[in-house]
């Protein structure tokens, strides 16, 4: 979204210094208190002098965080065998444990995602070029895990950024649903992990995959879906925050969520007991074997109309059923 398009949604807009002021849509603003400026990279920066959070302003305008960023042209990535092709600055940057840019993800309008890697001159090339993916916001994740804190695992960088904006630690994996790798769980060792599932089948499967992977590494694991809020349908963390969800409410929902456990966890003692039961089952005849034993002395026949009968001895006489 351009700055002009954003300003067109506001009331009482006027020039103020290097930017603009307007009435804040998040509260009854009689004296324009919303400051609007534009960063060098094209991002729209908001600050309500009355204290309204940016997510509240966006919700009132029915916008998302991504609308504050300039639209990026859709550019196809280089094909295998092509020379490295320059890429624009990524929307999301993944960093190594020391905070050094490792690779990036370019989000395009209409919705599309391309991966890129840094070159040696401060620019970017399309493709990972052999770079090993890591978790998004890895330095913050490692710090939180080391301190035994809580880490939220979302599906997508936008959700992770929006949860982080609430003052929490959040991460995601590159590539979206179904792309989690078990080695990512090493970074979460010692953390209390909360997996926020997207409310669709791929999202739910992905959340279960993440939970199963981090179980045993994390001090606790919870899987949760965020409820609809203030009359708004909620699919993911960004929807929930845009609808007015707060840090306090999110933490309350976490406390109310049960800890995740695998469907079946057996202790060594239980495993031994299970083996004994399995052995007992092997020694007992199956239903089919019992029926065959009963029927070994029977005479089986049917009528021309395919009505089936069996004649067999009972005590000292023959019965036909």
């Amino acid at each position: 979204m351009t700055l002009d398009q954003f300003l067109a949604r506001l009331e009482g807009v006027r020039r103020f210094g290097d930017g603009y002021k307007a009435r804040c849509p998040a509260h009854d603003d009689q004296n324009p208190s919303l400051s609007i400026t534009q960063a060098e990279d094209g991002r729209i920066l908001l600050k309500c002098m009355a204290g309204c959070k940016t997510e509240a302003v966006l919700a009132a305008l029915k916008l998302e965080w991504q609308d504050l960023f300039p639209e990026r042209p859709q550019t196809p990535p280089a094909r295998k065998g092509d020379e490295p092709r320059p890429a624009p600055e990524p929307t999301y940057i993944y960093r190594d444990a020391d905070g050094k840019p490792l690779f990036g993800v370019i989000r395009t309008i209409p919705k599309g995602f391309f991966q890129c890697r840094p070159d040696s001159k401060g620019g970017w090339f399309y493709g990972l070029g052999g770079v090993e993916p890591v978790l998004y916001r890895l330095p913050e994740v490692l710090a939180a895990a080391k301190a035994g804190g809580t880490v939220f695992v979302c599906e997508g960088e936008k959700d992770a950024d929006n949860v982080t904006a609430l003052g929490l630690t959040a991460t995601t994996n590159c590539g979206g649903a179904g792309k989690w790798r078990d080695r990512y769980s090493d970074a979460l060792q010692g953390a209390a992990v909360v997996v926020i599932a997207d409310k669709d089948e791929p999202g739910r499967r992905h959340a279960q995959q993440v939970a199963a992977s981090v179980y045993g590494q994390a001090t606790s694991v919870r899987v949760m879906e965020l409820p609809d809020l203030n009359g708004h349908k909620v699919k993911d963390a960004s929807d929930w925050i845009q609808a007015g969800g707060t840090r306090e409410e999110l933490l309350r929902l976490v406390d109310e969520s049960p800890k995740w456990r695998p469907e079946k966890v057996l202790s060594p003692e239980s495993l031994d007991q299970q083996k004994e039961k399995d052995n007992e089952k092997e020694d007992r005849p199956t239903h089919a074997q019992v029926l065959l034993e009963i029927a070994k002395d029977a005479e089986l026949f049917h009528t021309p109309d395919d009505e089936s009968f069996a004649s067999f001895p009972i005590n000292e006489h023959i019965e036909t059923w």
Side-chain angles (χ1 to χ4, degrees):
M1 176 175 288
T2 66
L3 179 61
D4 289 340
Q5 290 171 332
F6 184 82
L7 293 174
R9 293 173 175 262
L10 300 172
E11 296 180 356
V13 178
R14 59 184 175 84
R15 291 288 305 189
F16 185 80
D18 294 331
Y20 297 85
K21 269 196 171 184
R23 293 177 185 170
C24 176
H27 73 279
D28 185 15
D29 192 7
Q30 301 302 318
N31 184 26
S33 60
L34 181 65
S35 170
I36 309 103
T37 56
Q38 192 166 32
E40 292 183 0
D41 60 4
R43 286 178 298 143
I44 300 171
L45 307 178
L46 306 177
K47 182 174 180 60
C48 176
M49 300 306 174
C52 297
K53 293 184 178 180
T54 299
E55 53 261 30
V57 176
L58 292 174
L61 295 173
K62 294 182 169 37
L63 296 176
E64 299 182 0
W65 281 96
Q66 70 186 62
D67 294 314
L68 298 180
F69 291 80
E71 295 185 0
R72 299 179 184 275
Q74 177 114 9
T75 307
R79 298 186 300 272
K80 286 185 177 179
D82 286 354
E83 289 296 320
R85 191 179 305 177
E89 184 78 13
T91 313
Y92 309 107
I93 298 178
Y94 285 69
R95 302 178 184 275
D96 64 16
D98 297 322
K100 179 182 177 182
L102 195 59
F103 69 96
V105 172
I106 302 167
R107 182 183 178 117
T108 62
I109 306 295
K111 188 176 180 180
F113 297 92
F114 298 126
Q115 296 165 347
C116 59
R117 66 190 186 278
D119 63 17
S120 58
K121 301 177 182 178
W124 299 85
F125 285 139
Y126 280 107
L128 290 181
V131 175
E132 196 75 21
V134 298
L135 286 179
Y136 187 50
R137 295 182 169 274
L138 181 61
E140 298 99 310
V141 170
L142 292 173
K146 184 177 180 180
T150 300
V151 177
F152 290 82
V153 179
C154 307
E155 185 186 321
E157 295 90 356
K158 182 178 77 170
D159 287 353
D161 281 349
N162 286 338
V163 173
T164 300
L166 297 179
L168 302 167
T169 302
T171 187
T172 189
N173 60 277
C174 177
K179 300 298 184 181
W180 183 269
R181 300 293 177 261
D182 284 337
R183 57 184 174 78
Y184 296 155
S185 300
D186 294 341
L188 295 165
Q189 186 172 3
V193 173
V194 179
V195 186
I196 301 180
D198 277 16
K199 288 160 71 171
D200 54 26
E201 285 310 306
R204 293 182 180 107
R205 288 196 299 270
H206 177 72
Q208 293 297 317
Q209 178 191 3
V210 174
S213 177
V214 302
Y215 185 78
Q217 296 267 41
T219 56
S220 65
V221 182
R222 286 180 167 87
V223 176
M224 61 186 295
E225 293 183 14
L226 295 172
D228 294 344
L229 187 64
N230 296 330
H232 296 277
K233 286 288 186 181
V234 167
K235 177 187 176 184
D236 54 28
S238 294
D239 288 347
W240 187 81
I241 293 170
Q242 184 175 352
T246 64
R247 170 194 171 100
E248 292 72 21
E249 179 66 10
L250 181 57
L251 295 178
R252 185 186 67 79
L253 291 172
V254 171
D255 288 339
E256 293 177 355
S257 298
K259 291 184 178 180
W260 185 91
R261 293 285 187 274
E263 290 185 3
K264 191 173 184 180
V265 179
L266 295 178
S267 65
E269 295 78 8
S270 298
L271 286 170
D272 291 338
Q273 294 171 3
Q274 186 66 47
K275 287 179 182 178
E276 290 178 4
K277 291 180 181 179
D278 292 341
N279 291 335
E280 290 175 3
K281 289 179 181 179
E282 291 177 2
D283 294 337
R284 292 198 302 265
T286 64
H287 290 294
Q289 290 170 332
V290 172
L291 290 173
L292 287 172
E293 181 65 24
I294 293 173
K296 69 179 182 180
D297 296 326
E299 179 185 355
L300 307 177
F301 62 95
H302 60 80
T303 67
D305 296 330
D306 284 336
E307 189 175 2
S308 302
F309 292 88
S311 294
F312 50 90
I314 292 183
N315 295 328
E316 296 180 356
H317 65 281
I318 300 295
E319 288 192 10
T320 300
W321 290 10

